[in-house]
PDB file of all heavy atoms in Angstrom:
ATOM      1  N   LYS A1273       0.914   7.912   1.817  1.00 53.00           N
ATOM      2  CA  LYS A1273       0.700   9.328   1.438  1.00 53.00           C
ATOM      3  C   LYS A1273       1.986  10.131   1.935  1.00 53.00           C
ATOM      4  O   LYS A1273       2.447   9.988   3.019  1.00 53.00           O
ATOM      5  CB  LYS A1273      -0.586   9.853   1.951  1.00 53.00           C
ATOM      6  CG  LYS A1273      -1.854   9.351   1.296  1.00 53.00           C
ATOM      7  CD  LYS A1273      -3.103  10.104   1.838  1.00 53.00           C
ATOM      8  CE  LYS A1273      -4.344   9.636   1.083  1.00 53.00           C
ATOM      9  NZ  LYS A1273      -5.496  10.343   1.505  1.00 53.00           N
ATOM     10  N   TYR A1279       0.892  25.433   7.342  1.00 96.00           N
ATOM     11  CA  TYR A1279       1.210  26.676   8.084  1.00 96.00           C
ATOM     12  C   TYR A1279       0.125  27.716   7.998  1.00 96.00           C
ATOM     13  O   TYR A1279      -0.422  27.924   6.827  1.00 96.00           O
ATOM     14  CB  TYR A1279       2.554  27.270   7.485  1.00 96.00           C
ATOM     15  CG  TYR A1279       3.708  26.240   7.472  1.00 96.00           C
ATOM     16  CD1 TYR A1279       4.179  25.688   6.302  1.00 96.00           C
ATOM     17  CD2 TYR A1279       4.136  25.740   8.689  1.00 96.00           C
ATOM     18  CE1 TYR A1279       5.157  24.777   6.372  1.00 96.00           C
ATOM     19  CE2 TYR A1279       5.205  24.853   8.695  1.00 96.00           C
ATOM     20  CZ  TYR A1279       5.683  24.288   7.515  1.00 96.00           C
ATOM     21  OH  TYR A1279       6.719  23.377   7.595  1.00 96.00           O
ATOM     22  N   ALA A1290      -1.098  43.259   1.058  1.00 98.00           N
ATOM     23  CA  ALA A1290      -1.288  44.623   0.440  1.00 98.00           C
ATOM     24  C   ALA A1290      -0.098  45.482   0.580  1.00 98.00           C
ATOM     25  O   ALA A1290       0.384  46.267  -0.281  1.00 98.00           O
ATOM     26  CB  ALA A1290      -2.540  45.294   1.006  1.00 98.00           C
ATOM     27  N   HIS A1299       9.405  49.964  -5.374  1.00 97.00           N
ATOM     28  CA  HIS A1299      10.861  49.595  -5.256  1.00 97.00           C
ATOM     29  C   HIS A1299      11.308  48.541  -6.234  1.00 97.00           C
ATOM     30  O   HIS A1299      12.504  48.127  -6.162  1.00 97.00           O
ATOM     31  CB  HIS A1299      11.180  49.224  -3.791  1.00 97.00           C
ATOM     32  CG  HIS A1299      10.966  50.290  -2.846  1.00 97.00           C
ATOM     33  ND1 HIS A1299      11.800  51.395  -2.724  1.00 97.00           N
ATOM     34  CD2 HIS A1299       9.929  50.484  -1.919  1.00 97.00           C
ATOM     35  CE1 HIS A1299      11.373  52.104  -1.655  1.00 97.00           C
ATOM     36  NE2 HIS A1299      10.128  51.596  -1.268  1.00 97.00           N
ATOM     37  N   THR A1308       7.902  42.143 -19.910  1.00 97.00           N
ATOM     38  CA  THR A1308       7.149  41.404 -20.866  1.00 97.00           C
ATOM     39  C   THR A1308       6.261  40.456 -20.149  1.00 97.00           C
ATOM     40  O   THR A1308       6.492  40.175 -18.858  1.00 97.00           O
ATOM     41  CB  THR A1308       8.152  40.544 -21.610  1.00 97.00           C
ATOM     42  OG1 THR A1308       7.402  39.682 -22.531  1.00 97.00           O
ATOM     43  CG2 THR A1308       9.038  39.710 -20.734  1.00 97.00           C
ATOM     44  N   GLN A1322      18.107  30.433 -11.796  1.00 91.00           N
ATOM     45  CA  GLN A1322      18.331  29.419 -10.815  1.00 91.00           C
ATOM     46  C   GLN A1322      19.813  29.291 -10.446  1.00 91.00           C
ATOM     47  O   GLN A1322      20.649  29.022 -11.234  1.00 91.00           O
ATOM     48  CB  GLN A1322      17.811  28.166 -11.266  1.00 91.00           C
ATOM     49  CG  GLN A1322      16.285  28.099 -11.416  1.00 91.00           C
ATOM     50  CD  GLN A1322      15.860  26.817 -12.072  1.00 91.00           C
ATOM     51  OE1 GLN A1322      16.440  25.678 -12.025  1.00 91.00           O
ATOM     52  NE2 GLN A1322      14.718  26.790 -12.828  1.00 91.00           N
ATOM     53  N   GLU A1334      19.619  38.692 -22.634  1.00 98.00           N
ATOM     54  CA  GLU A1334      19.424  39.480 -23.843  1.00 98.00           C
ATOM     55  C   GLU A1334      19.963  38.820 -25.029  1.00 98.00           C
ATOM     56  O   GLU A1334      19.342  38.877 -26.233  1.00 98.00           O
ATOM     57  CB  GLU A1334      20.015  40.823 -23.563  1.00 98.00           C
ATOM     58  CG  GLU A1334      19.165  41.610 -22.467  1.00 98.00           C
ATOM     59  CD  GLU A1334      19.705  42.921 -22.065  1.00 98.00           C
ATOM     60  OE1 GLU A1334      21.022  43.128 -22.282  1.00 98.00           O
ATOM     61  OE2 GLU A1334      19.050  43.711 -21.575  1.00 98.00           O
ATOM     62  N   PHE A1340      17.477  33.316 -30.103  1.00 98.00           N
ATOM     63  CA  PHE A1340      16.344  32.538 -30.146  1.00 98.00           C
ATOM     64  C   PHE A1340      15.103  33.210 -29.635  1.00 98.00           C
ATOM     65  O   PHE A1340      14.617  33.041 -28.415  1.00 98.00           O
ATOM     66  CB  PHE A1340      16.534  31.215 -29.158  1.00 98.00           C
ATOM     67  CG  PHE A1340      17.949  30.659 -29.319  1.00 98.00           C
ATOM     68  CD1 PHE A1340      18.820  30.605 -28.278  1.00 98.00           C
ATOM     69  CD2 PHE A1340      18.274  30.041 -30.486  1.00 98.00           C
ATOM     70  CE1 PHE A1340      20.085  30.012 -28.260  1.00 98.00           C
ATOM     71  CE2 PHE A1340      19.506  29.365 -30.636  1.00 98.00           C
ATOM     72  CZ  PHE A1340      20.451  29.418 -29.578  1.00 98.00           C
ATOM     73  N   ARG A1380       3.572  19.506 -29.390  1.00 97.00           N
ATOM     74  CA  ARG A1380       2.382  19.156 -28.803  1.00 97.00           C
ATOM     75  C   ARG A1380       1.365  20.452 -28.809  1.00 97.00           C
ATOM     76  O   ARG A1380       0.171  20.234 -28.802  1.00 97.00           O
ATOM     77  CB  ARG A1380       2.633  18.813 -27.361  1.00 97.00           C
ATOM     78  CG  ARG A1380       3.344  17.524 -27.237  1.00 97.00           C
ATOM     79  CD  ARG A1380       3.452  17.068 -25.693  1.00 97.00           C
ATOM     80  NE  ARG A1380       4.266  15.932 -25.616  1.00 97.00           N
ATOM     81  CZ  ARG A1380       4.557  15.278 -24.344  1.00 97.00           C
ATOM     82  NH1 ARG A1380       3.957  16.013 -23.255  1.00 97.00           N
ATOM     83  NH2 ARG A1380       5.347  14.306 -24.259  1.00 97.00           N
ATOM     84  N   GLY A1382       1.753  23.633 -30.580  1.00 97.00           N
ATOM     85  CA  GLY A1382       1.911  24.489 -31.657  1.00 97.00           C
ATOM     86  C   GLY A1382       2.659  25.762 -31.381  1.00 97.00           C
ATOM     87  O   GLY A1382       2.502  26.769 -31.954  1.00 97.00           O
ATOM     88  N   VAL A1418       7.698  29.183  -5.314  1.00 97.00           N
ATOM     89  CA  VAL A1418       8.507  29.184  -4.093  1.00 97.00           C
ATOM     90  C   VAL A1418       9.899  28.673  -4.321  1.00 97.00           C
ATOM     91  O   VAL A1418      10.224  27.533  -4.590  1.00 97.00           O
ATOM     92  CB  VAL A1418       7.918  28.188  -3.028  1.00 97.00           C
ATOM     93  CG1 VAL A1418       8.710  28.141  -1.792  1.00 97.00           C
ATOM     94  CG2 VAL A1418       6.449  28.633  -2.658  1.00 97.00           C
ATOM     95  N   PRO A1478      19.612  40.705   7.491  1.00 95.00           N
ATOM     96  CA  PRO A1478      18.389  41.141   6.870  1.00 95.00           C
ATOM     97  C   PRO A1478      18.139  42.593   7.305  1.00 95.00           C
ATOM     98  O   PRO A1478      18.282  42.982   8.409  1.00 95.00           O
ATOM     99  CB  PRO A1478      17.311  40.166   7.414  1.00 95.00           C
ATOM    100  CG  PRO A1478      17.956  39.571   8.616  1.00 95.00           C
ATOM    101  CD  PRO A1478      19.442  39.475   8.404  1.00 95.00           C
ATOM    102  N   CYS A1480      15.832  44.490   8.318  1.00 96.00           N
ATOM    103  CA  CYS A1480      14.444  44.541   8.996  1.00 96.00           C
ATOM    104  C   CYS A1480      13.801  45.947   9.044  1.00 96.00           C
ATOM    105  O   CYS A1480      12.607  46.162   8.958  1.00 96.00           O
ATOM    106  CB  CYS A1480      14.413  43.799  10.344  1.00 96.00           C
ATOM    107  SG  CYS A1480      14.946  42.084  10.211  1.00 96.00           S
ATOM    108  N   ASP A1481      14.676  46.910   9.271  1.00 96.00           N
ATOM    109  CA  ASP A1481      14.225  48.343   9.347  1.00 96.00           C
ATOM    110  C   ASP A1481      13.677  48.819   8.190  1.00 96.00           C
ATOM    111  O   ASP A1481      12.959  49.883   8.198  1.00 96.00           O
ATOM    112  CB  ASP A1481      15.260  49.161   9.953  1.00 96.00           C
ATOM    113  CG  ASP A1481      15.664  48.842  11.357  1.00 96.00           C
ATOM    114  OD1 ASP A1481      14.914  48.274  12.086  1.00 96.00           O
ATOM    115  OD2 ASP A1481      16.793  49.269  11.902  1.00 96.00           O
ATOM    116  N   TRP A1488       4.551  42.346  10.920  1.00 97.00           N
ATOM    117  CA  TRP A1488       3.947  41.086  11.068  1.00 97.00           C
ATOM    118  C   TRP A1488       4.945  39.905  11.151  1.00 97.00           C
ATOM    119  O   TRP A1488       4.573  38.668  11.133  1.00 97.00           O
ATOM    120  CB  TRP A1488       2.989  40.812   9.831  1.00 97.00           C
ATOM    121  CG  TRP A1488       1.857  41.816   9.772  1.00 97.00           C
ATOM    122  CD1 TRP A1488       0.754  41.873  10.679  1.00 97.00           C
ATOM    123  CD2 TRP A1488       1.769  42.896   8.875  1.00 97.00           C
ATOM    124  NE1 TRP A1488       0.000  43.046  10.235  1.00 97.00           N
ATOM    125  CE2 TRP A1488       0.598  43.576   9.108  1.00 97.00           C
ATOM    126  CE3 TRP A1488       2.504  43.327   7.790  1.00 97.00           C
ATOM    127  CZ2 TRP A1488       0.165  44.685   8.436  1.00 97.00           C
ATOM    128  CZ3 TRP A1488       2.094  44.369   6.990  1.00 97.00           C
ATOM    129  CH2 TRP A1488       0.940  45.014   7.309  1.00 97.00           C
ATOM    130  N   ALA A1517      44.529  16.493 -21.345  1.00 98.00           N
ATOM    131  CA  ALA A1517      45.776  16.553 -22.289  1.00 98.00           C
ATOM    132  C   ALA A1517      45.345  17.517 -23.411  1.00 98.00           C
ATOM    133  O   ALA A1517      44.218  17.279 -24.091  1.00 98.00           O
ATOM    134  CB  ALA A1517      45.984  15.199 -22.843  1.00 98.00           C
ATOM    135  N   GLY A1523      49.236  22.543 -35.965  1.00 94.00           N
ATOM    136  CA  GLY A1523      48.468  23.820 -35.708  1.00 94.00           C
ATOM    137  C   GLY A1523      47.170  23.550 -35.176  1.00 94.00           C
ATOM    138  O   GLY A1523      46.344  24.479 -35.102  1.00 94.00           O
ATOM    139  N   GLY A1538      27.144  16.830 -23.353  1.00 92.00           N
ATOM    140  CA  GLY A1538      27.088  17.478 -24.621  1.00 92.00           C
ATOM    141  C   GLY A1538      28.180  18.616 -24.862  1.00 92.00           C
ATOM    142  O   GLY A1538      28.326  19.038 -25.958  1.00 92.00           O
ATOM    143  N   GLY A1550      47.285   7.123  -6.569  1.00 95.00           N
ATOM    144  CA  GLY A1550      48.603   6.694  -6.431  1.00 95.00           C
ATOM    145  C   GLY A1550      49.416   6.715  -7.670  1.00 95.00           C
ATOM    146  O   GLY A1550      50.585   6.537  -7.682  1.00 95.00           O
ATOM    147  N   PRO A1554      51.710  12.466 -14.888  1.00 96.00           N
ATOM    148  CA  PRO A1554      52.046  12.268 -16.238  1.00 96.00           C
ATOM    149  C   PRO A1554      51.613  10.838 -16.803  1.00 96.00           C
ATOM    150  O   PRO A1554      51.154  10.611 -17.917  1.00 96.00           O
ATOM    151  CB  PRO A1554      53.505  12.495 -16.397  1.00 96.00           C
ATOM    152  CG  PRO A1554      53.825  13.352 -15.232  1.00 96.00           C
ATOM    153  CD  PRO A1554      52.970  12.854 -14.125  1.00 96.00           C
ATOM    154  N   VAL A1569      50.960   9.066 -26.748  1.00 97.00           N
ATOM    155  CA  VAL A1569      51.373  10.405 -26.839  1.00 97.00           C
ATOM    156  C   VAL A1569      52.791  10.698 -26.213  1.00 97.00           C
ATOM    157  O   VAL A1569      53.239   9.728 -25.434  1.00 97.00           O
ATOM    158  CB  VAL A1569      50.475  11.438 -26.309  1.00 97.00           C
ATOM    159  CG1 VAL A1569      49.077  11.441 -27.047  1.00 97.00           C
ATOM    160  CG2 VAL A1569      50.327  11.234 -24.784  1.00 97.00           C
ATOM    161  N   GLU A1572      54.795  16.606 -23.192  1.00 95.00           N
ATOM    162  CA  GLU A1572      55.757  17.560 -23.195  1.00 95.00           C
ATOM    163  C   GLU A1572      56.049  18.394 -21.923  1.00 95.00           C
ATOM    164  O   GLU A1572      57.052  18.861 -21.646  1.00 95.00           O
ATOM    165  CB  GLU A1572      55.466  18.596 -24.327  1.00 95.00           C
ATOM    166  CG  GLU A1572      55.522  17.963 -25.689  1.00 95.00           C
ATOM    167  CD  GLU A1572      55.284  18.919 -26.811  1.00 95.00           C
ATOM    168  OE1 GLU A1572      54.415  19.937 -26.568  1.00 95.00           O
ATOM    169  OE2 GLU A1572      56.011  18.868 -27.768  1.00 95.00           O
ATOM    170  N   PHE A1582      31.865  21.863  -8.157  1.00 90.00           N
ATOM    171  CA  PHE A1582      30.460  21.598  -8.450  1.00 90.00           C
ATOM    172  C   PHE A1582      29.772  21.448  -7.074  1.00 90.00           C
ATOM    173  O   PHE A1582      30.367  21.535  -6.035  1.00 90.00           O
ATOM    174  CB  PHE A1582      30.387  20.294  -9.205  1.00 90.00           C
ATOM    175  CG  PHE A1582      31.141  20.288 -10.521  1.00 90.00           C
ATOM    176  CD1 PHE A1582      32.407  19.823 -10.717  1.00 90.00           C
ATOM    177  CD2 PHE A1582      30.498  20.854 -11.652  1.00 90.00           C
ATOM    178  CE1 PHE A1582      32.992  19.943 -11.939  1.00 90.00           C
ATOM    179  CE2 PHE A1582      31.032  20.802 -13.029  1.00 90.00           C
ATOM    180  CZ  PHE A1582      32.356  20.363 -13.031  1.00 90.00           C
ATOM    181  N   LEU A1585      31.122  17.853  -6.333  1.00 94.00           N
ATOM    182  CA  LEU A1585      32.425  17.366  -6.657  1.00 94.00           C
ATOM    183  C   LEU A1585      33.364  18.625  -6.642  1.00 94.00           C
ATOM    184  O   LEU A1585      32.840  19.789  -6.956  1.00 94.00           O
ATOM    185  CB  LEU A1585      32.485  16.720  -8.031  1.00 94.00           C
ATOM    186  CG  LEU A1585      31.848  15.376  -8.343  1.00 94.00           C
ATOM    187  CD1 LEU A1585      31.943  15.134  -9.779  1.00 94.00           C
ATOM    188  CD2 LEU A1585      32.426  14.332  -7.479  1.00 94.00           C
ATOM    189  N   ALA A1594      50.794  17.808 -24.934  1.00 97.00           N
ATOM    190  CA  ALA A1594      51.189  16.578 -25.435  1.00 97.00           C
ATOM    191  C   ALA A1594      51.126  16.596 -26.979  1.00 97.00           C
ATOM    192  O   ALA A1594      50.571  17.457 -27.633  1.00 97.00           O
ATOM    193  CB  ALA A1594      50.402  15.373 -24.956  1.00 97.00           C
ATOM    194  N   VAL A1595      51.869  15.661 -27.633  1.00 96.00           N
ATOM    195  CA  VAL A1595      51.899  15.518 -29.110  1.00 96.00           C
ATOM    196  C   VAL A1595      51.723  14.117 -29.342  1.00 96.00           C
ATOM    197  O   VAL A1595      52.231  13.206 -28.527  1.00 96.00           O
ATOM    198  CB  VAL A1595      53.118  16.071 -29.741  1.00 96.00           C
ATOM    199  CG1 VAL A1595      53.215  17.567 -29.691  1.00 96.00           C
ATOM    200  CG2 VAL A1595      54.392  15.450 -29.166  1.00 96.00           C
ATOM    201  N   HIS A1632      45.527  28.988 -21.553  1.00 94.00           N
ATOM    202  CA  HIS A1632      46.920  28.643 -21.421  1.00 94.00           C
ATOM    203  C   HIS A1632      47.558  28.053 -22.671  1.00 94.00           C
ATOM    204  O   HIS A1632      48.630  27.666 -22.617  1.00 94.00           O
ATOM    205  CB  HIS A1632      47.204  27.681 -20.220  1.00 94.00           C
ATOM    206  CG  HIS A1632      47.080  28.379 -18.941  1.00 94.00           C
ATOM    207  ND1 HIS A1632      45.792  28.620 -18.336  1.00 94.00           N
ATOM    208  CD2 HIS A1632      47.926  28.875 -18.037  1.00 94.00           C
ATOM    209  CE1 HIS A1632      46.020  29.155 -17.183  1.00 94.00           C
ATOM    210  NE2 HIS A1632      47.262  29.339 -16.937  1.00 94.00           N
TER     211      HIS A1632
END
Side-chain angles (χ1 to χ4, degrees):
K1273 289 186 177 181
Y1279 303 114
H1299 298 282
T1308 178
Q1322 293 173 27
E1334 292 174 339
F1340 315 116
R1380 295 184 186 180
V1418 177
C1480 298
D1481 291 342
W1488 299 289
V1569 299
E1572 295 184 320
F1582 299 93
L1585 295 173
V1595 294
H1632 286 81

